Structures are given as C-alpha cells and as structure tokens.
Amino acid sequence: QVQLVESGGGLVQPGGSLRLSCAASGSIFSFSAMGWYRQAPGKQRELVATLTPHGSTNYADSVKGRFTISRDNAKNTVYLQMNSLKPEDTAIYYCNSHPFLSQYWGQGTQVTVSS
C-alpha cells in the first residue's frame, strides 16, 4: 500500500521561500496525478497544485505564479516550491493523489508564514 510522507515545512517570514517534499513508499507517479493540498486552522482542506504523469500542472489562483509543483522520479518524490510566501499560506500541507484517496493522507507538514 502506498504511503506518502511530507516534509520541509517550517517558520518563514512573509516573502520567503520553502520547498516541501512528498516521499512515496510506492511508485505511483507513472499512473496517478499528484496534488498538494493544504488546510488552515478552522478551514476546509483545499487543493493547491496538481501534476499529471505526463507533466501537466494546475494551480489554485491564490498561489499561481508563486508555487511550483514538480517531481523527481528517481527519488519517488514530489515537491512544492513555494516563493513569495504570504501569511495566508499558513497551513498544514499534504500531498496525495488527485483525485485524492482517503487512505493516502499522511500527517502533513506545517508551514507558518509570520513576521
């Protein structure tokens, strides 16, 4: 069964950058689109970015131009490069397939953007 482990979160000032990693225990990138999701306190989990096996990407309007989703097949890892971070980006970030599968949710990684 596939397991996804997120890492790379932390505390960063507004305007700063972070790169999140999502390591997969199984090889699913060749047949499944992947996505980054986030959940802020008291809010619904939302889709941030997606990446298809053939390389197509989509981004939420709120992060377009600032975030980039990518993958390294050799490391079986999906990344989310986050630039020009805003306080509104503060959330727990998760990776999952897209559409998501409930059994794939990991613990996520906390991103806090604060001055």
Side-chain angles (χ1 to χ4, degrees):
Q1 189 170 1
V2 172
Q3 286 188 314
L4 301 171
V5 180
E6 302 91 344
S7 63
L11 175 64
V12 65
Q13 294 187 78
S17 298
L18 284 173
R19 188 178 73 163
L20 307 183
S21 298
C22 172
S25 63
S27 181
I28 66 171
F29 302 149
S30 63
F31 56 86
S32 179
M34 298 297 296
W36 280 97
Y37 305 76
R38 68 185 182 187
Q39 187 168 25
K43 298 182 180 178
Q44 297 288 316
R45 185 146 44 196
E46 64 176 346
L47 181 64
V48 174
T50 60
L51 175 64
T52 70
H54 50 279
S56 296
T57 60
N58 279 289
Y59 300 92
D61 288 341
S62 59
V63 308
K64 189 169 296 185
R66 301 188 297 120
F67 290 11
T68 303
I69 187 171
S70 62
R71 64 173 172 260
D72 184 336
N73 290 331
K75 295 183 177 181
N76 212 26
T77 300
V78 178
Y79 301 97
L80 184 68
Q81 178 66 47
M82 305 186 296
N83 299 324
S84 302
L85 283 162
K86 305 175 180 179
E88 305 95 279
D89 297 319
T90 296
I92 302 175
Y93 283 72
Y94 304 85
C95 63
N96 206 320
S97 58
H98 183 258
F100 70 83
L101 293 173
S102 296
Q103 63 267 37
Y104 287 179
W105 292 122
Q107 294 187 1
T109 185
Q110 176 71 52
V111 172
T112 302
V113 184
S114 177
S115 60

PDB file of all heavy atoms in Angstrom, residues 4-7 19-27 29 34 36 51 69-80 95:
ATOM      1  N   LEU A   4       2.613   8.164   1.873  1.00  0.00           N
ATOM      2  CA  LEU A   4       3.154   9.454   1.480  1.00  0.00           C
ATOM      3  C   LEU A   4       3.577  10.209   2.729  1.00  0.00           C
ATOM      4  O   LEU A   4       2.797  10.331   3.672  1.00  0.00           O
ATOM      5  CB  LEU A   4       2.115  10.264   0.710  1.00  0.00           C
ATOM      6  CG  LEU A   4       1.572   9.608  -0.570  1.00  0.00           C
ATOM      7  CD1 LEU A   4       0.393  10.398  -1.111  1.00  0.00           C
ATOM      8  CD2 LEU A   4       2.674   9.518  -1.619  1.00  0.00           C
ATOM      9  N   VAL A   5       4.809  10.694   2.728  1.00  0.00           N
ATOM     10  CA  VAL A   5       5.367  11.384   3.877  1.00  0.00           C
ATOM     11  C   VAL A   5       5.825  12.765   3.458  1.00  0.00           C
ATOM     12  O   VAL A   5       6.725  12.902   2.624  1.00  0.00           O
ATOM     13  CB  VAL A   5       6.539  10.601   4.493  1.00  0.00           C
ATOM     14  CG1 VAL A   5       7.095  11.348   5.701  1.00  0.00           C
ATOM     15  CG2 VAL A   5       6.090   9.205   4.896  1.00  0.00           C
ATOM     16  N   GLU A   6       5.215  13.781   4.058  1.00  0.00           N
ATOM     17  CA  GLU A   6       5.544  15.164   3.752  1.00  0.00           C
ATOM     18  C   GLU A   6       6.628  15.682   4.685  1.00  0.00           C
ATOM     19  O   GLU A   6       6.685  15.302   5.855  1.00  0.00           O
ATOM     20  CB  GLU A   6       4.304  16.061   3.886  1.00  0.00           C
ATOM     21  CG  GLU A   6       3.133  15.656   2.999  1.00  0.00           C
ATOM     22  CD  GLU A   6       2.168  14.701   3.676  1.00  0.00           C
ATOM     23  OE1 GLU A   6       2.531  14.104   4.720  1.00  0.00           O
ATOM     24  OE2 GLU A   6       1.035  14.552   3.170  1.00  0.00           O
ATOM     25  N   SER A   7       7.459  16.580   4.172  1.00  0.00           N
ATOM     26  CA  SER A   7       8.490  17.207   4.978  1.00  0.00           C
ATOM     27  C   SER A   7       8.851  18.554   4.364  1.00  0.00           C
ATOM     28  O   SER A   7       8.444  18.871   3.254  1.00  0.00           O
ATOM     29  CB  SER A   7       9.732  16.319   5.079  1.00  0.00           C
ATOM     30  OG  SER A   7      10.321  16.117   3.811  1.00  0.00           O
ATOM     31  N   ARG A  19      10.646  24.794   0.294  1.00  0.00           N
ATOM     32  CA  ARG A  19      10.401  23.690  -0.614  1.00  0.00           C
ATOM     33  C   ARG A  19       9.924  22.492   0.178  1.00  0.00           C
ATOM     34  O   ARG A  19      10.649  21.969   1.031  1.00  0.00           O
ATOM     35  CB  ARG A  19      11.646  23.313  -1.423  1.00  0.00           C
ATOM     36  CG  ARG A  19      11.335  22.281  -2.512  1.00  0.00           C
ATOM     37  CD  ARG A  19      12.535  21.915  -3.353  1.00  0.00           C
ATOM     38  NE  ARG A  19      13.482  21.081  -2.632  1.00  0.00           N
ATOM     39  CZ  ARG A  19      14.440  20.362  -3.205  1.00  0.00           C
ATOM     40  NH1 ARG A  19      14.579  20.394  -4.532  1.00  0.00           N
ATOM     41  NH2 ARG A  19      15.269  19.651  -2.467  1.00  0.00           N
ATOM     42  N   LEU A  20       8.719  22.063  -0.105  1.00  0.00           N
ATOM     43  CA  LEU A  20       8.149  20.902   0.541  1.00  0.00           C
ATOM     44  C   LEU A  20       8.435  19.652  -0.281  1.00  0.00           C
ATOM     45  O   LEU A  20       8.482  19.707  -1.506  1.00  0.00           O
ATOM     46  CB  LEU A  20       6.639  21.057   0.710  1.00  0.00           C
ATOM     47  CG  LEU A  20       6.155  22.332   1.397  1.00  0.00           C
ATOM     48  CD1 LEU A  20       4.644  22.294   1.556  1.00  0.00           C
ATOM     49  CD2 LEU A  20       6.845  22.521   2.741  1.00  0.00           C
ATOM     50  N   SER A  21       8.605  18.543   0.416  1.00  0.00           N
ATOM     51  CA  SER A  21       8.846  17.266  -0.237  1.00  0.00           C
ATOM     52  C   SER A  21       7.777  16.268   0.160  1.00  0.00           C
ATOM     53  O   SER A  21       7.280  16.289   1.288  1.00  0.00           O
ATOM     54  CB  SER A  21      10.219  16.710   0.144  1.00  0.00           C
ATOM     55  OG  SER A  21      11.254  17.569  -0.276  1.00  0.00           O
ATOM     56  N   CYS A  22       7.442  15.403  -0.757  1.00  0.00           N
ATOM     57  CA  CYS A  22       6.489  14.328  -0.522  1.00  0.00           C
ATOM     58  C   CYS A  22       7.112  13.049  -1.031  1.00  0.00           C
ATOM     59  O   CYS A  22       7.205  12.846  -2.249  1.00  0.00           O
ATOM     60  CB  CYS A  22       5.170  14.626  -1.228  1.00  0.00           C
ATOM     61  SG  CYS A  22       3.981  13.263  -1.207  1.00  0.00           S
ATOM     62  N   ALA A  23       7.553  12.213  -0.109  1.00  0.00           N
ATOM     63  CA  ALA A  23       8.199  10.957  -0.467  1.00  0.00           C
ATOM     64  C   ALA A  23       7.184   9.834  -0.475  1.00  0.00           C
ATOM     65  O   ALA A  23       6.456   9.642   0.500  1.00  0.00           O
ATOM     66  CB  ALA A  23       9.323  10.645   0.511  1.00  0.00           C
ATOM     67  N   ALA A  24       7.148   9.092  -1.553  1.00  0.00           N
ATOM     68  CA  ALA A  24       6.209   7.988  -1.709  1.00  0.00           C
ATOM     69  C   ALA A  24       6.908   6.661  -1.470  1.00  0.00           C
ATOM     70  O   ALA A  24       8.007   6.429  -1.972  1.00  0.00           O
ATOM     71  CB  ALA A  24       5.584   8.007  -3.095  1.00  0.00           C
ATOM     72  N   SER A  25       6.257   5.797  -0.702  1.00  0.00           N
ATOM     73  CA  SER A  25       6.810   4.468  -0.454  1.00  0.00           C
ATOM     74  C   SER A  25       6.601   3.533  -1.630  1.00  0.00           C
ATOM     75  O   SER A  25       7.291   2.539  -1.762  1.00  0.00           O
ATOM     76  CB  SER A  25       6.183   3.866   0.805  1.00  0.00           C
ATOM     77  OG  SER A  25       4.783   3.690   0.649  1.00  0.00           O
ATOM     78  N   GLY A  26       5.651   3.844  -2.464  1.00  0.00           N
ATOM     79  CA  GLY A  26       5.377   3.075  -3.659  1.00  0.00           C
ATOM     80  C   GLY A  26       5.431   3.959  -4.881  1.00  0.00           C
ATOM     81  O   GLY A  26       5.240   5.173  -4.791  1.00  0.00           O
ATOM     82  N   SER A  27       5.685   3.352  -6.009  1.00  0.00           N
ATOM     83  CA  SER A  27       5.791   4.094  -7.258  1.00  0.00           C
ATOM     84  C   SER A  27       4.401   4.261  -7.862  1.00  0.00           C
ATOM     85  O   SER A  27       3.839   3.333  -8.431  1.00  0.00           O
ATOM     86  CB  SER A  27       6.710   3.366  -8.233  1.00  0.00           C
ATOM     87  OG  SER A  27       6.845   4.091  -9.436  1.00  0.00           O
ATOM     88  N   PHE A  29       3.621   7.579  -9.377  1.00  0.00           N
ATOM     89  CA  PHE A  29       3.622   8.780 -10.204  1.00  0.00           C
ATOM     90  C   PHE A  29       3.396   8.498 -11.676  1.00  0.00           C
ATOM     91  O   PHE A  29       2.921   9.373 -12.403  1.00  0.00           O
ATOM     92  CB  PHE A  29       4.935   9.546 -10.017  1.00  0.00           C
ATOM     93  CG  PHE A  29       5.229   9.952  -8.607  1.00  0.00           C
ATOM     94  CD1 PHE A  29       6.543  10.052  -8.170  1.00  0.00           C
ATOM     95  CD2 PHE A  29       4.205  10.244  -7.725  1.00  0.00           C
ATOM     96  CE1 PHE A  29       6.822  10.429  -6.868  1.00  0.00           C
ATOM     97  CE2 PHE A  29       4.477  10.618  -6.424  1.00  0.00           C
ATOM     98  CZ  PHE A  29       5.794  10.713  -5.992  1.00  0.00           C
ATOM     99  N   MET A  34      -0.698  13.691  -9.104  1.00  0.00           N
ATOM    100  CA  MET A  34      -0.420  14.027  -7.717  1.00  0.00           C
ATOM    101  C   MET A  34      -0.838  15.452  -7.436  1.00  0.00           C
ATOM    102  O   MET A  34      -0.885  16.297  -8.330  1.00  0.00           O
ATOM    103  CB  MET A  34       1.067  13.856  -7.410  1.00  0.00           C
ATOM    104  CG  MET A  34       1.580  12.443  -7.570  1.00  0.00           C
ATOM    105  SD  MET A  34       0.780  11.275  -6.420  1.00  0.00           S
ATOM    106  CE  MET A  34       1.333  11.922  -4.837  1.00  0.00           C
ATOM    107  N   TRP A  36      -0.841  18.697  -4.235  1.00  0.00           N
ATOM    108  CA  TRP A  36      -0.586  19.259  -2.921  1.00  0.00           C
ATOM    109  C   TRP A  36      -1.864  19.909  -2.435  1.00  0.00           C
ATOM    110  O   TRP A  36      -2.536  20.624  -3.188  1.00  0.00           O
ATOM    111  CB  TRP A  36       0.552  20.282  -2.956  1.00  0.00           C
ATOM    112  CG  TRP A  36       1.919  19.670  -2.955  1.00  0.00           C
ATOM    113  CD1 TRP A  36       2.723  19.434  -4.024  1.00  0.00           C
ATOM    114  CD2 TRP A  36       2.651  19.224  -1.806  1.00  0.00           C
ATOM    115  NE1 TRP A  36       3.902  18.873  -3.631  1.00  0.00           N
ATOM    116  CE2 TRP A  36       3.889  18.727  -2.262  1.00  0.00           C
ATOM    117  CE3 TRP A  36       2.388  19.191  -0.445  1.00  0.00           C
ATOM    118  CZ2 TRP A  36       4.854  18.209  -1.411  1.00  0.00           C
ATOM    119  CZ3 TRP A  36       3.352  18.668   0.408  1.00  0.00           C
ATOM    120  CH2 TRP A  36       4.566  18.187  -0.080  1.00  0.00           C
ATOM    121  N   LEU A  51      -0.156  17.772 -10.566  1.00  0.00           N
ATOM    122  CA  LEU A  51       0.826  17.386 -11.561  1.00  0.00           C
ATOM    123  C   LEU A  51       0.440  16.030 -12.112  1.00  0.00           C
ATOM    124  O   LEU A  51       0.341  15.060 -11.373  1.00  0.00           O
ATOM    125  CB  LEU A  51       2.223  17.332 -10.940  1.00  0.00           C
ATOM    126  CG  LEU A  51       3.366  16.823 -11.815  1.00  0.00           C
ATOM    127  CD1 LEU A  51       3.590  17.752 -12.998  1.00  0.00           C
ATOM    128  CD2 LEU A  51       4.634  16.683 -10.992  1.00  0.00           C
ATOM    129  N   ILE A  69       4.879  22.975  -8.608  1.00  0.00           N
ATOM    130  CA  ILE A  69       4.888  21.562  -8.281  1.00  0.00           C
ATOM    131  C   ILE A  69       5.781  20.829  -9.270  1.00  0.00           C
ATOM    132  O   ILE A  69       5.772  21.121 -10.463  1.00  0.00           O
ATOM    133  CB  ILE A  69       3.459  20.978  -8.270  1.00  0.00           C
ATOM    134  CG1 ILE A  69       3.452  19.533  -7.766  1.00  0.00           C
ATOM    135  CG2 ILE A  69       2.805  21.087  -9.645  1.00  0.00           C
ATOM    136  CD1 ILE A  69       2.045  18.979  -7.539  1.00  0.00           C
ATOM    137  N   SER A  70       6.556  19.882  -8.781  1.00  0.00           N
ATOM    138  CA  SER A  70       7.454  19.118  -9.626  1.00  0.00           C
ATOM    139  C   SER A  70       7.685  17.746  -9.010  1.00  0.00           C
ATOM    140  O   SER A  70       7.204  17.470  -7.910  1.00  0.00           O
ATOM    141  CB  SER A  70       8.786  19.849  -9.825  1.00  0.00           C
ATOM    142  OG  SER A  70       9.460  20.012  -8.590  1.00  0.00           O
ATOM    143  N   ARG A  71       8.406  16.893  -9.703  1.00  0.00           N
ATOM    144  CA  ARG A  71       8.709  15.571  -9.172  1.00  0.00           C
ATOM    145  C   ARG A  71      10.095  15.131  -9.596  1.00  0.00           C
ATOM    146  O   ARG A  71      10.654  15.599 -10.587  1.00  0.00           O
ATOM    147  CB  ARG A  71       7.673  14.538  -9.626  1.00  0.00           C
ATOM    148  CG  ARG A  71       7.642  14.314 -11.125  1.00  0.00           C
ATOM    149  CD  ARG A  71       6.727  13.156 -11.490  1.00  0.00           C
ATOM    150  NE  ARG A  71       6.572  13.074 -12.941  1.00  0.00           N
ATOM    151  CZ  ARG A  71       5.541  13.534 -13.609  1.00  0.00           C
ATOM    152  NH1 ARG A  71       4.529  14.102 -12.964  1.00  0.00           N
ATOM    153  NH2 ARG A  71       5.496  13.419 -14.928  1.00  0.00           N
ATOM    154  N   ASP A  72      10.641  14.209  -8.824  1.00  0.00           N
ATOM    155  CA  ASP A  72      11.894  13.553  -9.128  1.00  0.00           C
ATOM    156  C   ASP A  72      11.597  12.062  -9.109  1.00  0.00           C
ATOM    157  O   ASP A  72      11.484  11.462  -8.039  1.00  0.00           O
ATOM    158  CB  ASP A  72      12.967  13.917  -8.107  1.00  0.00           C
ATOM    159  CG  ASP A  72      14.326  13.344  -8.435  1.00  0.00           C
ATOM    160  OD1 ASP A  72      14.405  12.328  -9.156  1.00  0.00           O
ATOM    161  OD2 ASP A  72      15.330  13.909  -7.970  1.00  0.00           O
ATOM    162  N   ASN A  73      11.467  11.479 -10.273  1.00  0.00           N
ATOM    163  CA  ASN A  73      11.082  10.077 -10.353  1.00  0.00           C
ATOM    164  C   ASN A  73      12.128   9.149  -9.737  1.00  0.00           C
ATOM    165  O   ASN A  73      11.777   8.110  -9.172  1.00  0.00           O
ATOM    166  CB  ASN A  73      10.838   9.679 -11.809  1.00  0.00           C
ATOM    167  CG  ASN A  73       9.591  10.317 -12.379  1.00  0.00           C
ATOM    168  OD1 ASN A  73       8.636  10.598 -11.656  1.00  0.00           O
ATOM    169  ND2 ASN A  73       9.586  10.542 -13.682  1.00  0.00           N
ATOM    170  N   ALA A  74      13.402   9.516  -9.840  1.00  0.00           N
ATOM    171  CA  ALA A  74      14.461   8.695  -9.274  1.00  0.00           C
ATOM    172  C   ALA A  74      14.341   8.595  -7.765  1.00  0.00           C
ATOM    173  O   ALA A  74      14.695   7.576  -7.168  1.00  0.00           O
ATOM    174  CB  ALA A  74      15.830   9.241  -9.664  1.00  0.00           C
ATOM    175  N   LYS A  75      13.866   9.659  -7.139  1.00  0.00           N
ATOM    176  CA  LYS A  75      13.691   9.677  -5.690  1.00  0.00           C
ATOM    177  C   LYS A  75      12.264   9.382  -5.268  1.00  0.00           C
ATOM    178  O   LYS A  75      11.964   9.348  -4.076  1.00  0.00           O
ATOM    179  CB  LYS A  75      14.115  11.029  -5.122  1.00  0.00           C
ATOM    180  CG  LYS A  75      15.587  11.335  -5.276  1.00  0.00           C
ATOM    181  CD  LYS A  75      15.937  12.654  -4.613  1.00  0.00           C
ATOM    182  CE  LYS A  75      17.423  12.933  -4.695  1.00  0.00           C
ATOM    183  NZ  LYS A  75      17.785  14.213  -4.032  1.00  0.00           N
ATOM    184  N   ASN A  76      11.394   9.180  -6.248  1.00  0.00           N
ATOM    185  CA  ASN A  76       9.984   8.928  -5.972  1.00  0.00           C
ATOM    186  C   ASN A  76       9.412  10.001  -5.051  1.00  0.00           C
ATOM    187  O   ASN A  76       8.730   9.715  -4.062  1.00  0.00           O
ATOM    188  CB  ASN A  76       9.792   7.540  -5.356  1.00  0.00           C
ATOM    189  CG  ASN A  76       8.472   6.908  -5.740  1.00  0.00           C
ATOM    190  OD1 ASN A  76       7.905   7.215  -6.793  1.00  0.00           O
ATOM    191  ND2 ASN A  76       7.971   6.016  -4.903  1.00  0.00           N
ATOM    192  N   THR A  77       9.688  11.242  -5.403  1.00  0.00           N
ATOM    193  CA  THR A  77       9.349  12.372  -4.555  1.00  0.00           C
ATOM    194  C   THR A  77       8.705  13.480  -5.375  1.00  0.00           C
ATOM    195  O   THR A  77       9.153  13.785  -6.480  1.00  0.00           O
ATOM    196  CB  THR A  77      10.594  12.920  -3.845  1.00  0.00           C
ATOM    197  OG1 THR A  77      11.163  11.892  -3.023  1.00  0.00           O
ATOM    198  CG2 THR A  77      10.246  14.108  -2.971  1.00  0.00           C
ATOM    199  N   VAL A  78       7.662  14.065  -4.821  1.00  0.00           N
ATOM    200  CA  VAL A  78       7.011  15.240  -5.391  1.00  0.00           C
ATOM    201  C   VAL A  78       7.371  16.441  -4.532  1.00  0.00           C
ATOM    202  O   VAL A  78       7.453  16.338  -3.307  1.00  0.00           O
ATOM    203  CB  VAL A  78       5.490  15.053  -5.453  1.00  0.00           C
ATOM    204  CG1 VAL A  78       4.812  16.308  -5.993  1.00  0.00           C
ATOM    205  CG2 VAL A  78       5.131  13.857  -6.324  1.00  0.00           C
ATOM    206  N   TYR A  79       7.578  17.572  -5.175  1.00  0.00           N
ATOM    207  CA  TYR A  79       7.980  18.784  -4.478  1.00  0.00           C
ATOM    208  C   TYR A  79       6.964  19.896  -4.685  1.00  0.00           C
ATOM    209  O   TYR A  79       6.227  19.923  -5.667  1.00  0.00           O
ATOM    210  CB  TYR A  79       9.338  19.274  -4.984  1.00  0.00           C
ATOM    211  CG  TYR A  79      10.453  18.273  -4.828  1.00  0.00           C
ATOM    212  CD1 TYR A  79      10.828  17.459  -5.885  1.00  0.00           C
ATOM    213  CD2 TYR A  79      11.130  18.142  -3.618  1.00  0.00           C
ATOM    214  CE1 TYR A  79      11.849  16.539  -5.747  1.00  0.00           C
ATOM    215  CE2 TYR A  79      12.148  17.230  -3.472  1.00  0.00           C
ATOM    216  CZ  TYR A  79      12.508  16.429  -4.542  1.00  0.00           C
ATOM    217  OH  TYR A  79      13.523  15.519  -4.391  1.00  0.00           O
ATOM    218  N   LEU A  80       6.963  20.810  -3.749  1.00  0.00           N
ATOM    219  CA  LEU A  80       6.232  22.049  -3.905  1.00  0.00           C
ATOM    220  C   LEU A  80       7.163  23.189  -3.524  1.00  0.00           C
ATOM    221  O   LEU A  80       7.476  23.375  -2.348  1.00  0.00           O
ATOM    222  CB  LEU A  80       4.970  22.087  -3.041  1.00  0.00           C
ATOM    223  CG  LEU A  80       4.089  23.320  -3.232  1.00  0.00           C
ATOM    224  CD1 LEU A  80       3.461  23.315  -4.627  1.00  0.00           C
ATOM    225  CD2 LEU A  80       3.002  23.390  -2.164  1.00  0.00           C
ATOM    226  N   CYS A  95       0.319  15.999   0.708  1.00  0.00           N
ATOM    227  CA  CYS A  95       0.298  15.508  -0.657  1.00  0.00           C
ATOM    228  C   CYS A  95      -0.625  14.308  -0.738  1.00  0.00           C
ATOM    229  O   CYS A  95      -0.908  13.651   0.254  1.00  0.00           O
ATOM    230  CB  CYS A  95       1.701  15.151  -1.162  1.00  0.00           C
ATOM    231  SG  CYS A  95       2.532  13.820  -0.272  1.00  0.00           S
TER     232      CYS A  95
END
